[in-house]
Amino acid sequence: MTSQVSEMEIADFRRLFESVPGLFLVLLPDFTITAVSDAYLQATLTRRAQIVGRHLFDVFPDNPDDPNADGVANLRRSLERVLATRMPDAMAMQKYDVPRPDGSGFEERYWSPSNFPVMDTDGNILYIMHRAEDITSYVLLKKSRDELQKIVCANELELPELTEDISADNQHLHALNRALKLEILARSKLEETNRELNRELKRNNEKLETSNKELESFSYSVSHDLRAPLRAIDGFARMLEEDIADQLDEEGKRKLDVIRNNTRNMGRLIDELLEFSRLGRKELSFGHLDMSALAQAAFTEATNLAVNDTTLSLGELPAARGDITLIKQVWFNLVSNAFKFSAKREQAHIAIRGAEENGVLTYTISDNGAGFDMRYYNKLFGVFQRLHRVSEFEGTGVGLAIVHRIVTRHGGRIWAEGVVGEGATFHFTLPA
């Protein structure tokens, strides 16, 4: 019942959020777009299905035809300040053009943006709320007014005898001034509406946070409660196997094997679900990380479990700071994933490399395995989401979700590319 109520509340909140008249975008800490209001979609000429799940700056790049475009750099700095300070950050007016839907270029746009964090009770940033006001009409109107003022001044100084033209220009200027006053009044009302919506959004965020905690607690409790019946099923199946094995035909033995294998699989699934649940509560302990040593250790550990020969190409990896237990888990999950999906290759190869650029550490793990279809990319980091059949590759569908949560909690992001039959490449970042 609790999960049903939670799902209903989450659905209601999403509908409420999407219908607000303000321009809002919800980002994960790795700047992946996770929710967007209808008004924002209309203002930026986009559609929800095209942008949710994608990285912010992949959707909204700088206008390549504008050599002075700095919208991406300015917005990135503001978002990074929010992550670093855990405080809201208001930006100055920005010129940030948006791509036309038909791909024919960019539309000129001016914005008044601000960004603020959404945190849990422990002060961890769960989301960044990006709010913008489209002030394009105001800016263009001001430009027109300034140009007219220049014309009026020039006429007064150089052509004082052309009184009729000056009068016409002044009348035009007065009309623009009246329009500007109306614009300012409308903007004031909009700001008041936005403040009220922000208050409503905060109240709904608190409800959502409570629902998430209840859901996490529910998952944890259910996982614990499922262990006892699973142990009982496996135990009785083992006793049957030991006591009456000589009385069973091959089909009976096969069915007992099916029961025991499924209970073991369910046990692994519960273990990973518990691990995923714990990640939301675990306090991070930051320290120096030798990423080369962690990557090599993960490869060595995975080699002991592998069924084929796999070669490793390990480049120089920049050191980082983070929770050694959790980052070790990230390396093991990604490397063992590469092993698993390369198992059918006669000569499997894994390449690991790293780089530091603009205060960001990036680590990359590539393999020449089965790859995946990019059409289903949005499922890649979801809990219990699988892109391959269990008969092809075993697993629970939790490993990459754990990696995503750990990297996000460290202030980084993770993404991947894959080609079916050729391999996959995973990247993750950490702050320098």
Side-chain angles (χ1 to χ4, degrees), residues 348-378:
H349 181 71
I350 296 174
I352 301 176
R353 60 187 186 273
E356 178 178 358
E357 185 177 357
N358 298 326
V360 176
L361 306 173
T362 303
Y363 304 94
T364 301
I365 302 95
S366 303
D367 64 67
N368 62 343
F372 62 89
D373 192 332
M374 288 293 288
R375 289 180 299 173
Y376 306 109
Y377 178 83
N378 62 322

Side-chain angles (χ1 to χ4, degrees), residues 25-27 31-36 51-56 59-60:
L25 196 66
V26 181
L27 305 172
F31 306 156
T32 299
I33 300 171
T34 189
V36 58
I51 70 172
V52 171
R54 296 178 59 193
H55 193 267
L56 173 65
V59 177
F60 299 111

Side-chain angles (χ1 to χ4, degrees), residues 23 38 45 58 72 89 95 181 204 215 234 317 323 342 355 361 395:
L23 279 58
D38 294 335
L45 311 178
D58 292 339
V72 168
D89 188 82
K95 181 179 185 295
K181 289 179 181 178
N204 281 286
L215 184 58
D234 186 58
L317 305 182
D323 188 302
S342 303
L361 306 173

Side-chain angles (χ1 to χ4, degrees), residues 115-289:
N115 304 292
F116 53 94
V118 178
M119 296 182 288
D120 61 19
T121 54
D122 296 326
N124 300 310
I125 295 180
L126 301 177
Y127 305 99
I128 300 177
M129 188 70 69
H130 172 69
R131 184 185 70 180
E133 293 182 33
D134 186 354
I135 58 173
T136 305
S137 58
Y138 166 74
V139 172
L140 296 181
L141 191 63
K142 187 175 183 300
K143 284 184 176 180
S144 298
R145 187 185 68 177
D146 292 343
E147 290 172 1
L148 281 174
Q149 285 178 330
K150 291 178 182 178
I151 293 173
V152 170
C153 291
N155 287 340
E156 288 176 347
L157 292 174
E158 298 173 12
L159 299 171
E161 68 277 6
L162 299 179
T163 56
E164 291 183 2
D165 290 342
I166 293 174
S167 177
D169 285 338
N170 278 333
Q171 289 177 4
H172 192 183
L173 184 59
H174 287 313
L176 286 173
N177 278 333
R178 286 194 298 271
L180 183 59
K181 289 179 181 178
L182 291 174
E183 178 80 15
I184 293 172
L185 180 61
R187 184 178 176 186
S188 176
K189 291 182 177 179
L190 180 60
E191 287 177 348
E192 177 57 34
T193 301
N194 281 341
R195 283 192 290 270
E196 177 58 34
L197 287 171
N198 282 337
R199 288 190 288 268
E200 182 67 22
L201 188 60
K202 182 179 179 181
R203 288 192 291 269
N204 281 286
N205 276 337
E206 291 171 352
K207 290 181 181 178
L208 182 60
E209 184 177 326
T210 300
S211 296
N212 284 337
K213 287 182 177 179
E214 290 175 353
L215 184 58
E216 187 175 89
S217 176
F218 174 76
S219 300
Y220 193 82
S221 299
V222 167
S223 299
H224 269 294
D225 293 343
L226 284 175
R227 286 177 176 275
L230 276 178
R231 284 195 296 267
I233 293 171
D234 186 58
F236 280 112
R238 187 178 65 254
M239 285 189 290
L240 280 174
E241 190 175 33
E242 293 172 352
D243 295 344
I244 61 171
D246 55 344
Q247 302 176 34
L248 295 174
D249 58 14
E250 290 303 316
E251 178 62 16
K253 293 177 180 178
R254 187 191 69 80
K255 288 177 179 177
L256 273 179
D257 285 340
V258 169
I259 293 172
R260 297 202 64 194
N261 286 335
N262 277 280
T263 54
R264 283 193 290 268
N265 289 338
M266 188 63 180
R268 285 194 295 269
L269 185 62
I270 289 172
D271 289 340
E272 295 196 7
L273 180 59
L274 285 171
E275 178 63 26
F276 185 75
S277 179
R278 290 190 192 104
L279 287 175
R281 301 189 302 273
K282 185 181 186 300
E283 184 176 350
L284 300 183
S285 178
F286 280 82
H288 176 80
L289 301 176

Side-chain angles (χ1 to χ4, degrees), residues 55-72:
H55 193 267
L56 173 65
F57 299 121
D58 292 339
V59 177
F60 299 111
D62 278 330
N63 183 353
D65 297 327
D66 183 357
N68 299 317
D70 57 1
V72 168

